[in-house]
Amino acid sequence: MSALKPLRLLLLGAPGSGKGTVTSRLLKVYPGIQSISSGDLLRRQIAQKTHIGLEALNYTSKGALVPDSVITKLIVDDLKENIINPQVQHWLLDGFPRKVSQAEDLDAALKPAGEKSVFNLVVEIDVPQSVIVERITNRRVHVPSGRVYNLQYKPPKVPGKDDITGEALVQRLDDTEEIVTKRLNDYNALVSPLKKYYRDLGILKTVSGETSDIVFPKLLDVIQNKI
Ligand SMILES: Nc1nc2c(ncn2[C@@H]2O[C@H](COP(=O)(O)OP(=O)(O)O)[C@@H](O)[C@H]2O)c(=O)[nH]1
Ligand SMILES: Nc1ncnc2c1ncn2[C@@H]1O[C@H](COP(=O)(O)OP(=O)(O)O)[C@@H](O)[C@H]1O
């Protein structure tokens, strides 16, 4: 694969659009990319019953957004600790920011001097929302790793077990049809101003497709040719 120039990528996309799926495929092509998923970070906090996890659960279990003060500090601290250093050339964020106030706070905290934003590329994954409810109700996850499965599209080798560790897969509390509908409505209300924020900075691209098999090659092309 062609060498990458420094990549600081934000993946945007509706719940169930395939952000986690294309991230895992991207990391297979470019193992050097560090990735952070806000949802996975929160689920690990919840599983560990930390103070942040217990607070976040009040929101995630209802499909409501966690307060900016909680999620922004969690992400900024993780970026400062693990990502923003000379050893990490390529990284991506999935799930944060998901509203303009978060984008502004993140850039205020971490935008490199002379750069437009903490990101140098923002890619929106555009999938017909008609396919999302079925995808999400068939989603199963391995919380410690964030690995994602699907009973129809990508079943585990052993039913109910993670392919790598053999540990149990779970259905997320927020992956019910009722809660997904709420999360989709929230996403649609917030994503347009957020896309404008990055479009105005000249770093937004959109890749469309019905399936991740169509979306992923387009994402790869944008990353290899854009940066
Ligand atoms: N049927 C189908 N399911 C997919 C496709 N891409 C991803 N999925 C599944 O849809 C669900 C949501 O994908 P995920 O990557 O978790 O989306 P995210 O919420 O945007 O991170 C998971 O169960 C995936 O395995 C696809 O092209 N077709
Ligand atoms: N940037 C964020 N701001 C507020 N809450 C968030 C954020 N990212 C994740 N969350 C919380 O975690 C839940 C799961 O997020 P995520 O795994 O990204 O789900 P999805 O991609 O399916 O929307 C969200 O429904 C929300 O409650």
Side-chain angles (χ1 to χ4, degrees), residues 9 31 35 45 60 62 114 127 135 149 156 171 177 196 216:
L9 168 64
S35 70
Q45 293 281 330
T60 60
K62 299 192 280 288
V127 167
R135 282 190 183 187
Y149 298 85
Q171 180 169 16
E177 183 160 354
K196 182 179 185 318
F216 180 65

Side-chain angles (χ1 to χ4, degrees), residues 47-128:
Q48 292 156 18
K49 294 185 172 45
T50 65
H51 173 70
I52 288 177
L54 295 173
E55 181 176 4
L57 186 60
N58 294 321
Y59 300 89
T60 60
S61 57
K62 299 192 280 288
L65 292 184
V66 168
D68 284 3
S69 55
V70 173
I71 187 71
T72 301
K73 182 177 184 330
L74 187 66
I75 296 286
V76 169
D77 288 352
D78 192 290
L79 283 168
K80 281 179 178 172
E81 187 180 335
N82 303 309
I83 302 284
I84 308 294
N85 65 61
Q87 280 69 46
V88 177
Q89 278 258 310
H90 312 296
W91 56 271
L92 74 84
L93 251 175
D94 152 9
F96 180 97
R98 87 172 53 189
K99 52 170 50 170
V100 171
S101 55
Q102 293 178 358
E104 290 168 339
D105 291 348
L106 181 64
D107 277 343
L110 297 175
K111 179 175 81 70
E115 297 287 346
K116 297 174 182 174
S117 166
V118 70
F119 302 109
N120 57 11
L121 180 60
V122 176
V123 178
E124 175 200 18
I125 296 175
D126 173 33
V127 167

Side-chain angles (χ1 to χ4, degrees), residues 14-21 94 135 138-140 148-150 153-154 210-213:
S17 57
K19 299 184 294 298
T21 299
D94 152 9
R135 282 190 183 187
N138 284 302
R139 173 162 61 183
R140 298 296 181 271
V148 169
Y149 298 85
N150 189 279
Y153 172 72
K154 186 179 178 283
E210 291 259 342
T211 71
S212 294
D213 294 345

Side-chain angles (χ1 to χ4, degrees), residues 81-202:
E81 187 180 335
N82 303 309
I83 302 284
I84 308 294
N85 65 61
Q87 280 69 46
V88 177
Q89 278 258 310
H90 312 296
W91 56 271
L92 74 84
L93 251 175
D94 152 9
F96 180 97
R98 87 172 53 189
K99 52 170 50 170
V100 171
S101 55
Q102 293 178 358
E104 290 168 339
D105 291 348
L106 181 64
D107 277 343
L110 297 175
K111 179 175 81 70
E115 297 287 346
K116 297 174 182 174
S117 166
V118 70
F119 302 109
N120 57 11
L121 180 60
V122 176
V123 178
E124 175 200 18
I125 296 175
D126 173 33
V127 167
Q129 295 199 356
S130 57
V131 306
I132 281 181
V133 171
E134 183 177 9
R135 282 190 183 187
I136 283 195
T137 47
N138 284 302
R139 173 162 61 183
R140 298 296 181 271
V141 300
H142 177 247
V143 174
S145 68
R147 279 186 288 273
V148 169
Y149 298 85
N150 189 279
L151 299 183
Q152 290 174 342
Y153 172 72
K154 186 179 178 283
K157 295 187 181 78
V158 175
K161 303 289 186 197
D162 174 53
D163 288 353
I164 309 297
T165 64
E167 291 169 349
L169 301 180
V170 298
Q171 180 169 16
R172 287 168 38 177
L173 287 176
D174 56 348
D175 274 357
T176 63
E177 183 160 354
E178 183 200 352
I179 294 182
V180 168
T181 305
K182 171 180 174 9
R183 283 161 49 205
L184 270 175
N185 293 338
D186 288 353
Y187 173 83
N188 291 330
L190 293 170
V191 73
S192 297
L194 184 64
K195 282 168 61 179
K196 182 179 185 318
Y197 178 88
Y198 290 116
R199 187 181 301 113
D200 290 352
L201 294 176

